[in-house]
Amino acid sequence: MSEQRQEEGRSGARRVVVAGAGMAGVQTAVALREQGFDGAVTLIGAEPHQPYDRPPLSKAVLLGKAENSAFDVDFEALGIRLELGREVLGLRSADHELDTERGPVPYDVLVLATGAEPVRLPGSEGVPGVHLLRTLDDAERLRPVLARQHEIVVVGAGWIGAEFTTAAREAGCAVTVVEAADRPLAGALPPEVAAPMADWYADSGADLRTHARVAHLEPGAVVLDDGSRLPAGAVVVGIGARPATAWLTGSGVELGAHHEVVADSGLRTSLPDVYAVGDCASFPSRRYGERLLVHHWDNALQGPRTVAANILGAATGEPQVAYDPVPYFWSEQFGRFVQYAGHHADADALLWRGEPSGPAWTVCWLHEGRLVALLAVGRPRDLAQGKRLIEAGTPMNPRLLVDPARPLKAATA
């Protein structure tokens, strides 16, 4: 009999296994204990490191200002069993077993929290000096690159590209950023909002090249499709991430268009006793009328509370708790604190608070007179007040809204 089965027999309670030891997985395990679950909780992580937070990787850890970013969680005191350095390989739901490289793990309830993995640049496999920035090991490999002040080419001007470029310039590296689109953050923001951010690169001393595609990589160089050759002591690829769900192929778990786990409003999957949370899962938003796939830290922090409540509630027959947050994320780049809340896909109006050429400004998106999203640069009060207005669905007065001197909460209709 396995040790987990013996433990379950002693406690008489169910076993919850969490696959993934990032923010979503750790917070699920912690939330279960906080909400009173007294059964066995096992947290399985593919990396050998103590579970850690990812945002500092592109900042303090990368620059050598911190050794790691381990979560301040006493897993032993909480009775959470850690299985680290153990990769999950598959799921056999009929047997209620998770397959791992060290053998099967039985569960009564399974939580999928395997997060996302970076998209690799085609043709980069085996080329020396090509890096990703997703894990603690990635950051540690990049530390000496920054310390030696290499010429660095960054592929992709998204959030991670901007944050890495900021750190590399702080370290004194020459940085060229290659972006296939006509602007940074092309997949996240409309042209008029992203356009001012292009100047941030030049102001920092980085060379941003838009409409530029990588033809191929060579040792020590990046060759673009126009034939130009960029010297590169190192190449950092930041062209996006995708849900880490390949291991679920053939498991019966429904996957969506982006290969994410399709969860319902309570973060349950298509299989009984299996939930999904964080970057690997999408969920239906009643607030926005569509399914959302959110690859940001706050989603991995908030979703686990809903999962834990529904695991406990399922055992007692309580109604399912719905997960419908106002998405939120932040980014520190080029000396600016950038925050976003909401979802602007269906907005019918875009309004500015402040001048985009200045150090602090906010963009607000409205739908039928109500605030649905905002991007705040150096205006954290706008973000805090705006998030509450989005949650409440409060009608706004556009004339008052555009006055940056007026508190956002005082710009209602």
Side-chain angles (χ1 to χ4, degrees), residues 345-408:
D346 290 334
D348 52 32
L350 185 156
L351 301 174
W352 291 81
R353 288 168 57 82
E355 294 297 325
S357 59
W361 45 272
T362 297
V363 173
C364 297
W365 286 272
L366 305 182
H367 178 70
E368 296 179 351
R370 288 175 167 79
L371 189 66
V372 293
L374 78 160
L375 177 81
V377 176
R379 292 180 65 96
R381 184 172 297 179
D382 275 5
L383 191 287
Q385 294 179 8
K387 191 169 185 288
R388 289 193 289 269
L389 292 167
I390 295 171
E391 289 170 344
T394 306
M396 306 300 295
N397 183 321
R399 181 179 59 81
L400 302 178
L401 183 67
V402 297
D403 179 4
R406 180 183 295 272
L408 202 55

Short mmCIF file of all heavy atoms in Angstrom, two decimals, residues 345-408:
data_model
loop_
_atom_site.label_atom_id
_atom_site.label_comp_id
_atom_site.label_asym_id
_atom_site.label_seq_id
_atom_site.Cartn_x
_atom_site.Cartn_y
_atom_site.Cartn_z
N ALA A 345 -11.70 44.14 -24.75
CA ALA A 345 -12.00 43.65 -26.11
C ALA A 345 -13.29 44.23 -26.68
O ALA A 345 -13.37 44.52 -27.88
CB ALA A 345 -12.06 42.13 -26.10
N ASP A 346 -14.32 44.40 -25.86
CA ASP A 346 -15.62 44.87 -26.35
C ASP A 346 -15.87 46.34 -26.05
O ASP A 346 -17.01 46.82 -26.14
CB ASP A 346 -16.74 44.03 -25.76
CG ASP A 346 -16.76 42.61 -26.31
OD1 ASP A 346 -16.27 42.41 -27.44
OD2 ASP A 346 -17.23 41.70 -25.61
N ALA A 347 -14.84 47.09 -25.70
CA ALA A 347 -15.03 48.51 -25.38
C ALA A 347 -15.48 49.29 -26.61
O ALA A 347 -15.10 48.98 -27.74
CB ALA A 347 -13.74 49.09 -24.83
N ASP A 348 -16.29 50.31 -26.38
CA ASP A 348 -16.75 51.15 -27.49
C ASP A 348 -16.23 52.59 -27.38
O ASP A 348 -16.57 53.44 -28.19
CB ASP A 348 -18.28 51.14 -27.60
CG ASP A 348 -18.98 51.46 -26.29
OD1 ASP A 348 -18.43 52.25 -25.49
OD2 ASP A 348 -20.07 50.90 -26.04
N ALA A 349 -15.44 52.86 -26.35
CA ALA A 349 -14.85 54.20 -26.19
C ALA A 349 -13.52 54.07 -25.46
O ALA A 349 -13.36 53.23 -24.57
CB ALA A 349 -15.79 55.12 -25.43
N LEU A 350 -12.57 54.92 -25.85
CA LEU A 350 -11.25 54.95 -25.23
C LEU A 350 -10.96 56.40 -24.85
O LEU A 350 -11.01 57.29 -25.70
CB LEU A 350 -10.20 54.41 -26.18
CG LEU A 350 -8.76 54.25 -25.68
CD1 LEU A 350 -8.03 53.20 -26.50
CD2 LEU A 350 -7.98 55.57 -25.76
N LEU A 351 -10.68 56.63 -23.59
CA LEU A 351 -10.46 57.98 -23.09
C LEU A 351 -9.13 58.07 -22.35
O LEU A 351 -8.74 57.13 -21.65
CB LEU A 351 -11.59 58.40 -22.15
CG LEU A 351 -13.01 58.39 -22.74
CD1 LEU A 351 -14.04 58.68 -21.66
CD2 LEU A 351 -13.14 59.39 -23.88
N TRP A 352 -8.45 59.23 -22.50
CA TRP A 352 -7.14 59.44 -21.86
C TRP A 352 -7.29 60.35 -20.65
O TRP A 352 -8.04 61.32 -20.67
CB TRP A 352 -6.17 60.09 -22.84
CG TRP A 352 -5.75 59.20 -23.97
CD1 TRP A 352 -6.43 58.95 -25.12
CD2 TRP A 352 -4.54 58.45 -24.05
NE1 TRP A 352 -5.73 58.08 -25.91
CE2 TRP A 352 -4.56 57.75 -25.30
CE3 TRP A 352 -3.43 58.30 -23.22
CZ2 TRP A 352 -3.53 56.93 -25.70
CZ3 TRP A 352 -2.39 57.47 -23.63
CH2 TRP A 352 -2.45 56.80 -24.86
N ARG A 353 -6.53 60.02 -19.61
CA ARG A 353 -6.36 60.90 -18.46
C ARG A 353 -4.87 61.25 -18.38
O ARG A 353 -4.05 60.41 -17.97
CB ARG A 353 -6.80 60.19 -17.17
CG ARG A 353 -8.30 60.01 -17.06
CD ARG A 353 -8.69 59.06 -15.94
NE ARG A 353 -8.19 59.44 -14.62
CZ ARG A 353 -8.76 60.34 -13.81
NH1 ARG A 353 -9.85 61.00 -14.23
NH2 ARG A 353 -8.26 60.59 -12.62
N GLY A 354 -4.54 62.43 -18.82
CA GLY A 354 -3.13 62.84 -18.85
C GLY A 354 -2.53 62.63 -20.22
O GLY A 354 -3.09 61.96 -21.09
N GLU A 355 -1.35 63.22 -20.42
CA GLU A 355 -0.67 63.17 -21.71
C GLU A 355 0.26 61.96 -21.78
O GLU A 355 1.07 61.75 -20.88
CB GLU A 355 0.14 64.44 -21.92
CG GLU A 355 -0.70 65.69 -22.07
CD GLU A 355 -1.58 65.63 -23.30
OE1 GLU A 355 -1.14 65.06 -24.32
OE2 GLU A 355 -2.71 66.15 -23.24
N PRO A 356 0.17 61.17 -22.85
CA PRO A 356 1.02 59.97 -22.96
C PRO A 356 2.50 60.28 -23.06
O PRO A 356 3.33 59.40 -22.84
CB PRO A 356 0.51 59.29 -24.23
CG PRO A 356 -0.18 60.37 -25.00
CD PRO A 356 -0.76 61.30 -23.99
N SER A 357 2.85 61.53 -23.36
CA SER A 357 4.26 61.91 -23.40
C SER A 357 4.80 62.20 -22.00
O SER A 357 6.01 62.33 -21.81
CB SER A 357 4.45 63.15 -24.28
OG SER A 357 3.67 64.24 -23.78
N GLY A 358 3.91 62.29 -21.02
CA GLY A 358 4.32 62.61 -19.67
C GLY A 358 4.67 61.37 -18.87
O GLY A 358 4.56 60.23 -19.34
N PRO A 359 5.07 61.57 -17.62
CA PRO A 359 5.50 60.45 -16.79
C PRO A 359 4.35 59.63 -16.22
O PRO A 359 4.56 58.50 -15.77
CB PRO A 359 6.30 61.12 -15.68
CG PRO A 359 5.67 62.49 -15.56
CD PRO A 359 5.28 62.87 -16.95
N ALA A 360 3.14 60.20 -16.19
CA ALA A 360 2.00 59.50 -15.58
C ALA A 360 0.74 59.77 -16.38
O ALA A 360 0.40 60.92 -16.67
CB ALA A 360 1.82 59.95 -14.13
N TRP A 361 0.04 58.71 -16.74
CA TRP A 361 -1.20 58.84 -17.50
C TRP A 361 -2.00 57.56 -17.39
O TRP A 361 -1.49 56.51 -16.99
CB TRP A 361 -0.95 59.17 -18.97
CG TRP A 361 0.14 58.38 -19.63
CD1 TRP A 361 1.46 58.69 -19.67
CD2 TRP A 361 0.01 57.13 -20.35
NE1 TRP A 361 2.17 57.73 -20.37
CE2 TRP A 361 1.30 56.76 -20.79
CE3 TRP A 361 -1.08 56.31 -20.67
CZ2 TRP A 361 1.54 55.60 -21.54
CZ3 TRP A 361 -0.85 55.15 -21.39
CH2 TRP A 361 0.45 54.81 -21.83
N THR A 362 -3.27 57.65 -17.73
CA THR A 362 -4.17 56.51 -17.66
C THR A 362 -5.04 56.46 -18.91
O THR A 362 -5.46 57.50 -19.42
CB THR A 362 -5.08 56.59 -16.41
OG1 THR A 362 -4.27 56.53 -15.24
CG2 THR A 362 -6.10 55.46 -16.37
N VAL A 363 -5.27 55.27 -19.40
CA VAL A 363 -6.23 55.05 -20.49
C VAL A 363 -7.42 54.29 -19.91
O VAL A 363 -7.24 53.30 -19.20
CB VAL A 363 -5.60 54.24 -21.63
CG1 VAL A 363 -6.65 53.88 -22.67
CG2 VAL A 363 -4.47 55.04 -22.28
N CYS A 364 -8.62 54.76 -20.22
CA CYS A 364 -9.84 54.11 -19.74
C CYS A 364 -10.65 53.61 -20.93
O CYS A 364 -10.83 54.34 -21.92
CB CYS A 364 -10.69 55.09 -18.93
SG CYS A 364 -9.91 55.68 -17.42
N TRP A 365 -11.13 52.40 -20.84
CA TRP A 365 -12.01 51.83 -21.85
C TRP A 365 -13.42 51.73 -21.28
O TRP A 365 -13.61 51.22 -20.15
CB TRP A 365 -11.55 50.44 -22.26
CG TRP A 365 -10.34 50.39 -23.13
CD1 TRP A 365 -10.30 50.45 -24.49
CD2 TRP A 365 -8.97 50.24 -22.71
NE1 TRP A 365 -9.01 50.33 -24.95
CE2 TRP A 365 -8.16 50.21 -23.87
CE3 TRP A 365 -8.35 50.13 -21.46
CZ2 TRP A 365 -6.78 50.07 -23.83
CZ3 TRP A 365 -6.96 50.00 -21.41
CH2 TRP A 365 -6.20 49.97 -22.58
N LEU A 366 -14.41 52.20 -22.03
CA LEU A 366 -15.80 52.14 -21.61
C LEU A 366 -16.60 51.25 -22.55
O LEU A 366 -16.28 51.14 -23.74
CB LEU A 366 -16.44 53.54 -21.60
CG LEU A 366 -15.78 54.65 -20.78
CD1 LEU A 366 -16.60 55.92 -20.88
CD2 LEU A 366 -15.60 54.23 -19.34
N HIS A 367 -17.63 50.65 -22.02
CA HIS A 367 -18.61 49.93 -22.83
C HIS A 367 -19.99 50.34 -22.34
O HIS A 367 -20.33 50.13 -21.18
CB HIS A 367 -18.44 48.42 -22.70
CG HIS A 367 -19.44 47.63 -23.49
ND1 HIS A 367 -19.44 47.58 -24.87
CD2 HIS A 367 -20.51 46.88 -23.08
CE1 HIS A 367 -20.43 46.83 -25.29
NE2 HIS A 367 -21.11 46.40 -24.23
N GLU A 368 -20.74 50.98 -23.24
CA GLU A 368 -22.06 51.48 -22.90
C GLU A 368 -22.03 52.35 -21.64
O GLU A 368 -22.88 52.25 -20.76
CB GLU A 368 -23.05 50.32 -22.75
CG GLU A 368 -23.27 49.55 -24.04
CD GLU A 368 -24.23 48.40 -23.90
OE1 GLU A 368 -24.62 48.08 -22.74
OE2 GLU A 368 -24.61 47.80 -24.93
N GLY A 369 -20.99 53.17 -21.57
CA GLY A 369 -20.89 54.14 -20.49
C GLY A 369 -20.29 53.64 -19.20
O GLY A 369 -20.09 54.42 -18.26
N ARG A 370 -19.96 52.37 -19.15
CA ARG A 370 -19.38 51.79 -17.94
C ARG A 370 -17.91 51.44 -18.17
O ARG A 370 -17.54 50.98 -19.23
CB ARG A 370 -20.17 50.56 -17.50
CG ARG A 370 -21.53 50.89 -16.91
CD ARG A 370 -22.34 49.64 -16.59
NE ARG A 370 -23.49 49.94 -15.77
CZ ARG A 370 -24.63 50.45 -16.22
NH1 ARG A 370 -24.76 50.71 -17.52
NH2 ARG A 370 -25.65 50.72 -15.40
N LEU A 371 -17.12 51.65 -17.15
CA LEU A 371 -15.70 51.34 -17.22
C LEU A 371 -15.51 49.82 -17.25
O LEU A 371 -16.02 49.11 -16.38
CB LEU A 371 -14.98 51.94 -16.01
CG LEU A 371 -13.46 51.90 -16.01
CD1 LEU A 371 -12.89 52.79 -17.11
CD2 LEU A 371 -12.92 52.35 -14.64
N VAL A 372 -14.78 49.33 -18.26
CA VAL A 372 -14.54 47.89 -18.36
C VAL A 372 -13.06 47.55 -18.24
O VAL A 372 -12.70 46.40 -17.95
CB VAL A 372 -15.10 47.30 -19.67
CG1 VAL A 372 -16.62 47.37 -19.67
CG2 VAL A 372 -14.52 47.99 -20.90
N ALA A 373 -12.18 48.55 -18.44
CA ALA A 373 -10.74 48.29 -18.33
C ALA A 373 -10.00 49.60 -18.23
O ALA A 373 -10.51 50.66 -18.66
CB ALA A 373 -10.23 47.49 -19.54
N LEU A 374 -8.81 49.57 -17.64
CA LEU A 374 -7.95 50.73 -17.66
C LEU A 374 -6.49 50.32 -17.56
O LEU A 374 -6.17 49.27 -16.99
CB LEU A 374 -8.30 51.72 -16.54
CG LEU A 374 -7.84 51.44 -15.11
CD1 LEU A 374 -7.87 52.73 -14.29
CD2 LEU A 374 -8.77 50.42 -14.45
N LEU A 375 -5.64 51.14 -18.17
CA LEU A 375 -4.20 50.98 -18.09
C LEU A 375 -3.66 52.22 -17.40
O LEU A 375 -3.87 53.34 -17.89
CB LEU A 375 -3.59 50.83 -19.48
CG LEU A 375 -2.07 50.73 -19.52
CD1 LEU A 375 -1.62 49.30 -19.20
CD2 LEU A 375 -1.52 51.16 -20.88
N ALA A 376 -2.97 52.04 -16.29
CA ALA A 376 -2.46 53.18 -15.53
C ALA A 376 -0.94 53.14 -15.52
O ALA A 376 -0.34 52.13 -15.13
CB ALA A 376 -2.99 53.15 -14.10
N VAL A 377 -0.31 54.21 -15.95
CA VAL A 377 1.14 54.35 -15.93
C VAL A 377 1.48 55.38 -14.85
O VAL A 377 1.17 56.57 -14.99
CB VAL A 377 1.69 54.80 -17.29
CG1 VAL A 377 3.19 55.03 -17.22
CG2 VAL A 377 1.35 53.77 -18.37
N GLY A 378 2.07 54.94 -13.77
CA GLY A 378 2.44 55.84 -12.69
C GLY A 378 1.26 56.49 -12.00
O GLY A 378 1.42 57.53 -11.35
N ARG A 379 0.09 55.89 -12.08
CA ARG A 379 -1.10 56.42 -11.40
C ARG A 379 -1.80 55.28 -10.65
O ARG A 379 -2.90 54.83 -11.03
CB ARG A 379 -2.05 57.07 -12.40
CG ARG A 379 -1.49 58.35 -13.03
CD ARG A 379 -2.47 58.98 -14.02
NE ARG A 379 -3.68 59.45 -13.39
CZ ARG A 379 -3.90 60.71 -12.99
NH1 ARG A 379 -2.96 61.62 -13.15
NH2 ARG A 379 -5.04 61.05 -12.44
N PRO A 380 -1.20 54.78 -9.60
CA PRO A 380 -1.78 53.64 -8.89
C PRO A 380 -3.14 53.93 -8.27
O PRO A 380 -3.95 53.02 -8.12
CB PRO A 380 -0.74 53.33 -7.81
CG PRO A 380 0.06 54.58 -7.66
CD PRO A 380 0.08 55.21 -9.02
N ARG A 381 -3.40 55.19 -7.93
CA ARG A 381 -4.72 55.51 -7.36
C ARG A 381 -5.82 55.32 -8.40
O ARG A 381 -6.90 54.83 -8.09
CB ARG A 381 -4.72 56.94 -6.83
CG ARG A 381 -6.02 57.32 -6.12
CD ARG A 381 -5.93 58.66 -5.43
NE ARG A 381 -4.91 58.64 -4.38
CZ ARG A 381 -4.60 59.71 -3.64
NH1 ARG A 381 -5.21 60.87 -3.86
NH2 ARG A 381 -3.68 59.61 -2.71
N ASP A 382 -5.52 55.70 -9.65
CA ASP A 382 -6.49 55.45 -10.72
C ASP A 382 -6.80 53.96 -10.82
O ASP A 382 -7.96 53.56 -11.00
CB ASP A 382 -5.94 55.93 -12.07
CG ASP A 382 -6.21 57.41 -12.32
OD1 ASP A 382 -6.73 58.09 -11.42
OD2 ASP A 382 -5.86 57.89 -13.42
N LEU A 383 -5.75 53.16 -10.74
CA LEU A 383 -5.94 51.72 -10.87
C LEU A 383 -6.81 51.19 -9.73
O LEU A 383 -7.77 50.44 -9.97
CB LEU A 383 -4.58 51.01 -10.88
CG LEU A 383 -4.53 49.52 -11.25
CD1 LEU A 383 -5.07 48.61 -10.18
CD2 LEU A 383 -5.23 49.27 -12.58
N ALA A 384 -6.50 51.56 -8.51
CA ALA A 384 -7.25 51.05 -7.36
C ALA A 384 -8.71 51.47 -7.43
O ALA A 384 -9.62 50.65 -7.21
CB ALA A 384 -6.61 51.55 -6.07
N GLN A 385 -8.96 52.74 -7.73
CA GLN A 385 -10.34 53.21 -7.81
C GLN A 385 -11.05 52.63 -9.03
O GLN A 385 -12.23 52.24 -8.96
CB GLN A 385 -10.36 54.74 -7.86
CG GLN A 385 -9.86 55.39 -6.58
CD GLN A 385 -9.87 56.91 -6.66
OE1 GLN A 385 -10.39 57.51 -7.60
NE2 GLN A 385 -9.28 57.56 -5.65
N GLY A 386 -10.32 52.54 -10.15
CA GLY A 386 -10.92 52.03 -11.38
C GLY A 386 -11.33 50.58 -11.25
O GLY A 386 -12.39 50.18 -11.75
N LYS A 387 -10.51 49.78 -10.59
CA LYS A 387 -10.84 48.36 -10.43
C LYS A 387 -12.16 48.20 -9.66
O LYS A 387 -13.00 47.37 -10.01
CB LYS A 387 -9.71 47.64 -9.71
CG LYS A 387 -9.82 46.12 -9.71
CD LYS A 387 -8.52 45.50 -9.23
CE LYS A 387 -8.55 43.98 -9.32
NZ LYS A 387 -9.42 43.38 -8.32
N ARG A 388 -12.35 49.03 -8.63
CA ARG A 388 -13.61 48.96 -7.87
C ARG A 388 -14.78 49.40 -8.73
O ARG A 388 -15.89 48.84 -8.62
CB ARG A 388 -13.49 49.81 -6.61
CG ARG A 388 -12.55 49.21 -5.56
CD ARG A 388 -12.70 49.89 -4.21
NE ARG A 388 -12.17 51.25 -4.22
CZ ARG A 388 -10.92 51.57 -3.90
NH1 ARG A 388 -10.06 50.61 -3.57
NH2 ARG A 388 -10.53 52.83 -3.91
N LEU A 389 -14.57 50.41 -9.57
CA LEU A 389 -15.65 50.87 -10.45
C LEU A 389 -16.02 49.81 -11.48
O LEU A 389 -17.20 49.63 -11.82
CB LEU A 389 -15.23 52.17 -11.14
CG LEU A 389 -15.08 53.40 -10.23
CD1 LEU A 389 -14.37 54.52 -10.97
CD2 LEU A 389 -16.45 53.87 -9.73
N ILE A 390 -15.02 49.09 -11.98
CA ILE A 390 -15.30 48.00 -12.92
C ILE A 390 -16.09 46.91 -12.22
O ILE A 390 -17.09 46.40 -12.76
CB ILE A 390 -13.98 47.42 -13.48
CG1 ILE A 390 -13.25 48.47 -14.32
CG2 ILE A 390 -14.26 46.18 -14.33
CD1 ILE A 390 -11.84 48.06 -14.73
N GLU A 391 -15.68 46.54 -11.03
CA GLU A 391 -16.38 45.49 -10.28
C GLU A 391 -17.83 45.87 -10.03
O GLU A 391 -18.73 45.03 -10.10
CB GLU A 391 -15.67 45.25 -8.95
CG GLU A 391 -14.32 44.56 -9.10
CD GLU A 391 -13.53 44.53 -7.81
OE1 GLU A 391 -13.87 45.30 -6.88
OE2 GLU A 391 -12.56 43.75 -7.72
N ALA A 392 -18.08 47.14 -9.75
CA ALA A 392 -19.44 47.59 -9.44
C ALA A 392 -20.27 47.88 -10.68
O ALA A 392 -21.50 47.99 -10.59
CB ALA A 392 -19.38 48.85 -8.57
N GLY A 393 -19.62 48.00 -11.85
CA GLY A 393 -20.36 48.33 -13.07
C GLY A 393 -20.94 49.73 -13.03
O GLY A 393 -22.02 49.99 -13.57
N THR A 394 -20.23 50.66 -12.42
CA THR A 394 -20.73 52.03 -12.22
C THR A 394 -20.71 52.83 -13.52
O THR A 394 -19.69 52.88 -14.20
CB THR A 394 -19.85 52.75 -11.18
OG1 THR A 394 -19.79 51.97 -9.98
CG2 THR A 394 -20.41 54.13 -10.87
N PRO A 395 -21.82 53.51 -13.88
CA PRO A 395 -21.81 54.38 -15.06
C PRO A 395 -20.86 55.56 -14.83
O PRO A 395 -20.78 56.11 -13.74
CB PRO A 395 -23.26 54.86 -15.16
CG PRO A 395 -24.06 53.85 -14.42
CD PRO A 395 -23.18 53.38 -13.30
N MET A 396 -20.14 55.94 -15.89
CA MET A 396 -19.14 57.00 -15.79
C MET A 396 -19.57 58.23 -16.59
O MET A 396 -20.36 58.13 -17.54
CB MET A 396 -17.79 56.50 -16.31
CG MET A 396 -17.28 55.22 -15.66
SD MET A 396 -17.03 55.36 -13.89
CE MET A 396 -15.69 56.57 -13.82
N ASN A 397 -19.02 59.37 -16.21
CA ASN A 397 -19.24 60.62 -16.93
C ASN A 397 -17.98 60.90 -17.75
O ASN A 397 -16.95 61.29 -17.19
CB ASN A 397 -19.49 61.77 -15.94
CG ASN A 397 -19.79 63.09 -16.64
OD1 ASN A 397 -19.19 63.41 -17.66
ND2 ASN A 397 -20.70 63.86 -16.08
N PRO A 398 -18.01 60.71 -19.06
CA PRO A 398 -16.79 60.86 -19.87
C PRO A 398 -16.15 62.23 -19.75
O PRO A 398 -14.92 62.35 -19.76
CB PRO A 398 -17.28 60.60 -21.30
CG PRO A 398 -18.49 59.74 -21.12
CD PRO A 398 -19.14 60.23 -19.87
N ARG A 399 -16.95 63.28 -19.63
CA ARG A 399 -16.40 64.63 -19.53
C ARG A 399 -15.56 64.79 -18.27
O ARG A 399 -14.49 65.41 -18.28
CB ARG A 399 -17.55 65.65 -19.56
CG ARG A 399 -17.09 67.11 -19.47
CD ARG A 399 -18.28 68.05 -19.52
NE ARG A 399 -19.21 67.81 -18.43
CZ ARG A 399 -19.04 68.28 -17.17
NH1 ARG A 399 -17.97 68.99 -16.88
NH2 ARG A 399 -19.95 68.03 -16.25
N LEU A 400 -16.03 64.22 -17.17
CA LEU A 400 -15.29 64.29 -15.91
C LEU A 400 -14.11 63.31 -15.91
O LEU A 400 -13.07 63.57 -15.31
CB LEU A 400 -16.21 63.99 -14.74
CG LEU A 400 -17.44 64.90 -14.57
CD1 LEU A 400 -18.27 64.44 -13.38
CD2 LEU A 400 -17.02 66.36 -14.41
N LEU A 401 -14.29 62.21 -16.59
CA LEU A 401 -13.29 61.14 -16.57
C LEU A 401 -11.96 61.59 -17.15
O LEU A 401 -10.89 61.17 -16.69
CB LEU A 401 -13.83 59.94 -17.37
CG LEU A 401 -12.98 58.68 -17.41
CD1 LEU A 401 -12.89 58.05 -16.03
CD2 LEU A 401 -13.57 57.69 -18.40
N VAL A 402 -11.99 62.46 -18.17
CA VAL A 402 -10.75 62.83 -18.86
C VAL A 402 -9.93 63.86 -18.09
O VAL A 402 -8.82 64.20 -18.52
CB VAL A 402 -11.05 63.37 -20.27
CG1 VAL A 402 -11.68 62.28 -21.12
CG2 VAL A 402 -11.94 64.60 -20.22
N ASP A 403 -10.45 64.37 -16.98
CA ASP A 403 -9.71 65.34 -16.17
C ASP A 403 -8.78 64.56 -15.22
O ASP A 403 -9.24 63.97 -14.25
CB ASP A 403 -10.68 66.19 -15.36
CG ASP A 403 -9.98 67.20 -14.47
OD1 ASP A 403 -8.74 67.29 -14.53
OD2 ASP A 403 -10.68 67.90 -13.71
N PRO A 404 -7.46 64.55 -15.47
CA PRO A 404 -6.56 63.77 -14.64
C PRO A 404 -6.44 64.27 -13.20
O PRO A 404 -5.97 63.55 -12.32
CB PRO A 404 -5.22 63.87 -15.37
CG PRO A 404 -5.30 65.13 -16.14
CD PRO A 404 -6.74 65.29 -16.53
N ALA A 405 -6.88 65.53 -12.96
CA ALA A 405 -6.81 66.07 -11.61
C ALA A 405 -7.98 65.60 -10.75
O ALA A 405 -7.95 65.72 -9.53
CB ALA A 405 -6.78 67.59 -11.66
N ARG A 406 -9.01 65.09 -11.39
CA ARG A 406 -10.19 64.63 -10.66
C ARG A 406 -10.03 63.15 -10.28
O ARG A 406 -9.68 62.33 -11.15
CB ARG A 406 -11.45 64.81 -11.50
CG ARG A 406 -12.75 64.35 -10.85
CD ARG A 406 -13.91 64.50 -11.80
NE ARG A 406 -14.16 65.90 -12.10
CZ ARG A 406 -14.93 66.71 -11.40
NH1 ARG A 406 -15.56 66.23 -10.32
NH2 ARG A 406 -15.09 67.96 -11.74
N PRO A 407 -10.25 62.77 -9.04
CA PRO A 407 -10.21 61.35 -8.69
C PRO A 407 -11.17 60.55 -9.57
O PRO A 407 -12.29 61.03 -9.86
CB PRO A 407 -10.63 61.34 -7.22
CG PRO A 407 -10.32 62.70 -6.71
CD PRO A 407 -10.56 63.62 -7.87
N LEU A 408 -10.74 59.39 -9.98
CA LEU A 408 -11.57 58.58 -10.86
C LEU A 408 -12.92 58.27 -10.23
O LEU A 408 -13.95 58.23 -10.90
CB LEU A 408 -10.82 57.28 -11.19
CG LEU A 408 -11.23 56.53 -12.45
CD1 LEU A 408 -11.16 57.41 -13.68
CD2 LEU A 408 -10.33 55.31 -12.63
#
